[in-house]
Amino acid sequence: GAITAGAHMGMRSLLSYQRGEEAAADRAAINYLNATGQSAKGMVETFRRLQNETMFVARHVDPYAVSHPMPADRIAIIEPLARASPHYGKTDPPALDARHQLARAKLAGFLDRADAITRRYPPSDTSLPARYARTIQMFRFGDRTRAAAMADDLIRSQPGNPYFHEIKGQILLETGQPAAALPSLRRAVSLAPNAGLIRIMLGHALVASGNNAALDEAIRELRLALQREPEAGDGYRQLAIAYGRKNDRGQADLASAQAAYYSGDLQTARGLARRAQGSLPTGSPGWLIAEDIYNQRPRRN
């Protein structure tokens, strides 16, 4: 009984700490919104909606046995702070709202089922976000040739949007036309140079094009991308292929080890890391990265 009580108290202490961290994060969010001149009204409304959705369940929940403060408690803390802000009644600029709507459309297009996308963005909705979502829907579930034409229509509507060029490049890449995808992906990267995942796609297309003269460009793009997305396993896989085609065995094995490591296959990663060290100069940056991977041990539960 004493042992069980001690464990119970320890867990409650941990949960109390986590609730404190969440409450601090809520207050920090208010501060960040104030500092950037944005309203926290949406944050308050989100927690109020969450409170309504959990109203009946919350009556049976021990508030001291959860990792997050109850929605009512969070509202009690943040609503006075939000209402005290001079920006509380401020609406978002139209350009920011337009970007948000496009982001929502992209998420729906890639994550929802076809019928759910149609319900959210019916054919009668001719807005740019709806057309974007339907382009992705056509790419995932319909005629990919038609999807490419729909992407062209998006680009004509907004030529400076990198994500419209991205979807055109992705459609071409995933329909076995990597060389044709390059202009769209290069344009997307030029418009969004900090978007690491688009650079990885460009690197993938360069590798898949089969043009050995493009391997140095592929390696450069992939390395730049992985500075932004250091845990992107696919980036390391493409990098391994590029180095392999250049007969750089050490760098190819190292990139393969990193791909396996970030994919959660530690055993394979350690084996490839040790093999990479056999080809890399001892003490070089790549050798040291391989040593770090090799020295990793599985986590024990």
Side-chain angles (χ1 to χ4, degrees):
I3 294 172
T4 303
H8 183 69
M9 292 300 296
M11 179 57 70
R12 289 209 166 212
S13 177
L14 174 61
L15 292 172
S16 175
Y17 172 78
Q18 291 178 329
R19 289 193 300 273
E21 291 289 289
E22 291 294 331
D26 290 344
R27 288 191 292 270
I30 299 289
N31 291 335
Y32 291 139
L33 289 168
N34 287 338
T36 54
Q38 298 181 81
S39 171
K41 185 177 182 180
M43 184 177 173
V44 175
E45 291 175 349
T46 297
F47 283 127
R48 199 173 297 285
R49 186 163 58 248
L50 182 61
Q51 180 188 25
N52 293 335
E53 291 174 356
T54 60
M55 184 180 300
F56 297 106
V57 177
R59 288 186 291 180
H60 306 288
V61 173
D62 180 356
Y64 299 104
V66 293
S67 60
H68 288 60
M70 300 300 290
D73 295 332
R74 300 181 89 159
I75 293 169
I77 293 171
I78 67 170
E79 186 167 21
L81 297 174
R83 289 187 178 277
S85 169
H87 309 295
Y88 185 74
K90 186 177 180 180
T91 58
D92 291 326
L96 181 60
D97 183 64
R99 287 175 56 196
H100 177 67
Q101 296 304 326
L102 286 172
R104 292 182 64 192
K106 184 175 186 178
L107 288 171
F110 277 111
L111 299 179
D112 287 352
R113 299 190 312 271
D115 58 334
I117 298 169
T118 300
R119 283 196 301 272
R120 181 176 293 189
Y121 299 103
S124 58
D125 186 349
T126 59
S127 67
L128 198 59
R131 289 157 54 200
Y132 187 27
R134 288 196 294 268
T135 299
I136 299 170
Q137 178 189 30
M138 184 64 66
F139 166 55
R140 291 178 62 208
F141 303 109
D143 182 342
R144 289 186 165 186
T145 301
R146 185 178 171 193
M150 293 168 71
D152 284 332
D153 183 55
L154 291 173
I155 291 169
R156 283 191 289 271
S157 297
Q158 206 172 81
N161 191 315
Y163 302 102
F164 293 166
H165 294 279
E166 175 200 25
I167 189 61
K168 172 69 181 295
Q170 184 174 356
I171 292 167
L172 293 171
L173 175 61
E174 296 191 19
T175 53
Q177 305 174 72
L182 291 175
S184 295
L185 293 174
R186 285 190 174 114
R187 179 60 175 156
V189 166
S190 71
L191 292 168
N194 295 327
L197 294 179
I198 299 180
R199 279 192 189 274
I200 288 175
M201 197 182 300
L202 172 58
H204 184 173
L206 287 163
V207 171
S209 71
N211 180 6
N212 287 339
L215 290 175
D216 286 337
E217 181 186 358
I219 290 169
R220 182 175 65 253
E221 293 295 339
L222 289 165
R223 286 202 168 279
L224 284 171
L226 290 166
Q227 291 176 13
R228 291 273 176 182
E229 302 287 343
E231 298 182 6
D234 187 57
Y236 293 108
R237 280 187 284 273
Q238 297 303 321
L239 193 60
I241 295 170
Y243 276 123
R245 290 185 182 167
K246 288 177 67 68
N247 295 315
D248 190 336
R249 179 176 174 179
Q251 291 293 344
D253 285 341
L254 175 60
S256 295
Q258 290 170 296
Y261 177 78
Y262 288 115
S263 299
D265 187 353
L266 184 57
Q267 182 177 353
T268 299
R270 294 181 72 239
L272 288 167
R274 183 56 87 200
R275 193 169 79 181
Q277 287 185 306
S279 302
L280 295 168
T282 301
S284 65
W287 190 95
L288 293 172
I289 292 171
E291 180 74 3
D292 287 341
I293 293 174
Y294 182 76
N295 287 332
Q296 296 294 314
R297 293 292 183 269
R299 294 180 180 178
R300 295 181 179 179
N301 295 329

